[in-house]
Amino acid sequence: MGIKSFQGARKQQNNINENVQLKVCDYMTRDLITFKPEQTVDEVIHALIANRISGGPVVNANNELIGIISEGDCLKQITESHYYNMPVEQDIVENRMVKNVETIDGNMDVFEAARKFLDSKIRRFPIVIDGKLMGQISQKDILKAAMQLKGHNWK
């Protein structure tokens, strides 16, 4: 009796160049909701809820990145205003934003960016070119890039 193979036909492998670099700038969001330092935190809270986002970059009049404001920053403001019995409407973004903002180079490989996300526990990184805010990359953008690649040459 001969040996029977239960292995089906093999799928032919595509010969796609493995050295293709997926750059952050190809997957970043360019149309951003930004905030100004003089805006009230109350305005930011309304914008975060209305746009279903968890935070956004703060830019000056020249579109230069000066900070990031997040849901957490707004929550901190709400709890402090409640504790000290101060109105929420009077506090401004400049007082609540994170000023020391880490950015990512738009030419960085998305898998390097994924590692940076894991190492830093940050949810989004702005991309700045010549001092100007050009876009933002999020963890979700990295996942989208990986899923596009998966269809081409992941097993």
Side-chain angles (χ1 to χ4, degrees), residues 4-5 10 14 25 39 44-45 52-54 57 59 62 67 70 90 104 106 110-111 124-126 150:
K4 292 185 179 180
S5 172
R10 291 182 181 228
N14 292 336
C25 62
Q39 279 183 277
V44 172
I45 292 169
R52 296 180 172 199
I53 57 175
S54 61
V59 295
N62 296 323
S70 69
Q90 294 179 354
I104 281 188
V110 293
F111 295 105
R124 72 190 69 74
F125 284 104
K150 178 182 175 183

Side-chain angles (χ1 to χ4, degrees), residues 33 45-55 71:
I33 295 167
I45 292 169
H46 286 290
L48 295 178
I49 293 167
N51 294 290
R52 296 180 172 199
I53 57 175
S54 61
E71 289 170 323

